Amino acid sequence: MITVDEKLIVTKQINEVLCRYAKRNLIKEFLFTFSFPNCSKENSKLKAKHINPLLETIYYYQGDIYPDTLVEVENYINTFLNELDENDLTALQFLTLNENYLIHIDDFENEDGSKYTKEEFEEKLGRYFAHKLYEPEKNGLNEELQEMLQNQISRLANEIDLSVLNKESISEILDAIELITE
């Protein structure tokens, strides 16, 4: 981060780098380990029997996460998040804010309701986002992050066909992960 006169400055480039890193590395790792729990990333050793039965269930539910699978999904997400270092968690929080940007702008405008000049608006909105990042538990950012990760699992389940589990299923999952994390 860049600070100028005690103001935190997040440039467009910094935001893009953090979001790209989170998507291409962290989301990719998240989806891989969810799809193939307890497996190494060496694709040649993956077998159809290694595919997470929970992913199969969500696939059969057409990507929906129902109460019978929600607890397992939440446990997986919480375990994944707890194993991240602070920097990786921050990168995922930036990605979450980026994914929900328009929702946050609407919330900010509805919360505040004041009329600002463009510069004032950008400064106040920046503070709104910074507040979310500094207190993610209090401001619901952690919950948004968990929801975003649930949506990634749902998207993966919608991108693949697990009606027959075979070698092609593995390739299809890996290709879908690549597509999602581009």
Side-chain angles (χ1 to χ4, degrees), residues 23 27-33 35-36 156 159-160 171-182:
K23 198 169 192 180
I27 298 296
K28 184 181 278 189
E29 178 185 342
F30 170 77
L31 291 174
F32 181 88
T33 57
S35 301
F36 305 103
L156 176 62
E159 296 284 335
I160 58 178
S171 295
E172 195 170 332
I173 291 170
L174 295 174
D175 291 344
I177 291 171
E178 287 298 321
L179 176 73
I180 291 169
T181 59
E182 285 183 336

Side-chain angles (χ1 to χ4, degrees), residues 65-164:
I65 299 175
Y66 289 110
D68 63 327
T69 57
L70 182 62
V71 172
E72 267 187 278
V73 169
E74 286 177 340
N75 286 339
Y76 174 76
I77 290 171
N78 287 330
T79 300
F80 177 78
L81 293 175
N82 289 335
E83 291 174 357
L84 294 176
D85 67 19
E86 185 179 343
N87 296 323
D88 287 345
L89 184 59
T90 300
L92 281 173
Q93 290 169 336
F94 267 85
L95 180 63
T96 302
L97 286 174
N98 204 54
E99 296 277 322
N100 296 331
Y101 183 75
L102 295 176
I103 294 168
H104 288 295
I105 286 180
D106 287 345
D107 289 348
F108 172 73
E109 288 175 337
N110 291 336
E111 240 179 57
D112 196 314
S114 303
K115 300 291 181 200
Y116 298 111
T117 66
K118 183 179 178 189
E119 293 79 23
E120 291 172 329
F121 179 80
E122 288 177 2
E123 184 177 333
K124 297 274 186 193
L125 182 62
R127 286 185 182 162
Y128 173 84
F129 283 127
H131 188 62
K132 284 218 168 266
L133 287 167
Y134 288 133
E135 296 184 24
E137 196 68 40
K138 183 179 175 184
N139 294 307
L141 183 58
N142 285 346
E143 290 155 9
E144 289 178 42
L145 174 55
Q146 289 183 343
E147 185 179 322
M148 191 259 305
L149 293 174
Q150 283 182 17
N151 291 339
Q152 296 296 323
I153 292 170
S154 294
R155 181 173 176 200
L156 176 62
N158 283 325
E159 296 284 335
I160 58 178
D161 179 6
L162 296 179
S163 56
V164 177

Side-chain angles (χ1 to χ4, degrees), residues 3-56:
T3 58
V4 177
D5 296 330
E6 297 183 26
K7 293 181 183 179
L8 177 66
I9 307 295
V10 177
T11 66
K12 181 179 177 183
Q13 292 81 12
I14 290 173
N15 184 60
E16 287 176 6
V17 167
L18 283 171
C19 291
R20 184 179 310 128
Y21 168 76
K23 198 169 192 180
R24 290 187 181 169
N25 295 343
L26 301 173
I27 298 296
K28 184 181 278 189
E29 178 185 342
F30 170 77
L31 291 174
F32 181 88
T33 57
F34 181 81
S35 301
F36 305 103
N38 306 316
C39 291
S40 71
K41 292 184 180 176
E42 194 173 319
N43 298 344
S44 62
K45 294 186 179 186
L46 295 175
K47 298 188 182 346
K49 68 181 182 181
H50 295 135
I51 297 173
N52 189 345
L54 184 56
L55 178 59
E56 290 179 67

